[in-house]
Amino acid sequence: MPTTAPAFSDATASDSALRRFLFGLPGVDAVGLEARAAALGTRSIKTTAKAYAIDLAISMIDLTTLEGADTPGKVRALAAKAVNPDPTDRTTPRTAAVCVYPDMAATAAAALAGSGVKVASVATAFPAGRAALDVKLADVREAVAAGADEIDMVIDRGAFLSGRFLKVHEEIVAVKAECGSARLKVIFETGELSTYDNIRRASWIGMLAGADFIKTSTGKVGTNATPANTLLMLEAVRDFRAATGVQIGVKPAGGIRTTKDAVKFLVLVNETAGEDWLDPHWFRFGASSLLNDLLMQRQKLSTGRYSGPDYVTVD
């Protein structure tokens, strides 16, 4: 993918050009956005459609462990769960990926070899992003060399919030160049961007810079994925494809814990971006605790009984 879509090549020619472009985007009607997200969240699906939605949501999960206490054993256990989420039912779909720190990418890659489950790795001084560019790029190179299929990078929120938009764009371009064949997810940390207008601007910076996915959050701050901020990002990728022909994925992360939550987000995808995004290649959940609830609801649909949390593994 080119670093900037041809239709918008002039937008990133200079700091002032990018600023004009970003501030020329339509302002976000916050009340309307939240009302539409809430209305779509009231949609109800039953029986066969619910079973389909549960399996689809499982297949879209990036099963994640990003803790200082991570060990190779924990990563291998998580990889086993990703490949076989419900040992009592081999028809259960695999998750999309396992997401780890770069120093655990090799362990994850070895555990997932041949499974079809991707190795994702956070990078660029996750979660704060407070590091020099050469350190961030080394972080990416380490993860890719260790076997990461996907890189989840964080933007420099300090640069963004101080109006240095071209710096944010150039860092994403540089990271994308280090990814090689690995797909790049760009994390905005929407809870720190303060306004919906900022989320829209960050979305366009990420897309113009060559992101393969745009992602709401790290899951490490108080406000993470919400229906409203995800709806806004879905509108952005829809509009970007309409203008350029380039499709970009969306990943809400943090705070999505129940099957009911997941279904609400899938409805948002279908009604906003469209069916083309209802695929793990284009939509992901960064929500590890969600998997257990999906498994329990799946078991209830197949057996008529609600097994409870003791019947699914924590990791």
Side-chain angles (χ1 to χ4, degrees), residues 90 173 197 201:
R90 296 287 178 166
V173 170
D197 285 323
R201 291 169 190 143

Side-chain angles (χ1 to χ4, degrees), residues 82-226:
V83 174
N84 187 17
D86 184 355
T88 70
D89 186 350
R90 296 287 178 166
T91 68
T92 307
R94 297 168 178 172
T95 70
V98 168
C99 186
V100 294
Y101 278 114
D103 66 318
M104 290 291 171
T107 299
L112 294 168
S115 70
V117 177
K118 303 295 185 184
V119 177
S121 180
V122 297
T124 65
F126 178 96
R130 311 307 306 177
L133 180 58
D134 59 344
V135 174
K136 294 180 179 181
L137 297 180
D139 207 22
V140 175
R141 283 194 294 272
E142 177 188 343
V144 172
D149 304 296
E150 301 171 356
I151 296 295
D152 290 35
M153 72 165 286
V154 289
I155 66 165
D156 184 338
R157 279 89 76 195
F160 181 92
L161 291 169
S162 59
R164 292 175 289 157
F165 302 125
L166 193 61
K167 180 179 187 294
V168 177
H169 177 273
E170 289 175 344
E171 280 203 354
I172 298 169
V173 170
V175 169
K176 177 65 175 175
E178 293 291 343
C179 285
S181 61
R183 298 178 80 204
L184 176 63
K185 307 189 196 93
V186 177
I187 309 168
F188 303 137
E189 201 68 288
T190 51
E192 294 183 347
L193 297 188
S194 302
T195 70
Y196 290 128
D197 285 323
N198 277 344
I199 295 170
R200 175 170 281 172
R201 291 169 190 143
S203 297
W204 277 87
I205 291 174
M207 295 186 297
L208 291 171
D212 297 296
F213 265 80
I214 54 176
K215 178 178 171 182
T216 60
S217 341
T218 63
K220 302 293 188 182
V221 301
T223 301
N224 295 291
T226 68

Side-chain angles (χ1 to χ4, degrees), residues 37 40-41 60 216 224-231 234 250-272 278 283-285 290:
L40 290 172
M60 291 174 163
T216 60
N224 295 291
T226 68
N229 62 34
T230 304
L231 172 58
L234 287 165
V250 175
K251 179 181 173 181
I256 306 169
R257 296 184 175 88
T258 68
T259 299
K260 185 178 290 186
D261 290 338
V263 169
K264 288 180 181 179
F265 278 86
L266 293 179
V267 171
L268 286 178
V269 175
N270 188 63
E271 297 298 321
T272 307
L278 285 175
F283 192 78
R284 298 284 181 84
F285 290 108
L290 170 63

